[in-house]
Amino acid sequence: PEPRLRAAVPILRWEPQHRGAPCCDVSVNSTLAVVNSQLVGAYVAADMRVKPLVVALKAWARARGINDRSRGTLSSFAITLMVIHYLQRRRLLP
């Protein structure tokens, strides 16, 4: 685990030992993070295409070095919101 000391709220980055497995940022006592997770969970439950599309886009962004908010690029949440927005504009999600 690696602490994200410059984050607005305390964050711990977890990187699995298995190469290629997705990393995860963990925060504690962040009510906004809980609400954001519930929002994403609702969209994932609404349409089975959301999760694989988000995972694929995150992998694509990570491979190009543009999925690291600490380095001034897109956060995983931003990428997720862009996917949701795209699907809404195509009238595939409410």
Side-chain angles (χ1 to χ4, degrees):
E2 168 193 332
R4 299 287 183 149
L5 302 176
R6 294 183 303 180
V9 294
I11 300 228
L12 184 66
R13 181 158 184 86
W14 178 75
E15 296 185 17
Q17 292 179 346
H18 175 54
R19 188 178 177 124
C23 300
C24 177
D25 288 346
V26 179
S27 70
V28 178
N29 293 335
S30 173
T31 55
L32 180 59
V34 172
V35 172
N36 289 346
S37 295
Q38 291 171 339
L39 174 69
V40 171
Y43 281 113
V44 167
D47 192 315
M48 61 187 252
R49 296 172 287 192
V50 173
K51 184 176 179 179
L53 186 54
V54 168
V55 169
L57 191 55
K58 285 182 184 181
W60 175 87
R62 189 178 325 110
R64 283 151 185 80
I66 58 170
N67 185 17
D68 189 346
R69 185 171 181 238
S70 69
R71 292 192 171 107
T73 60
L74 298 170
S75 69
S76 289
F77 187 61
I79 291 170
T80 301
L81 291 179
M82 286 193 295
V83 169
I84 291 168
H85 176 74
Y86 171 78
L87 293 172
Q88 288 174 327
R89 297 289 294 171
R90 304 278 302 172
R91 304 207 185 282
L92 299 171
L93 281 178

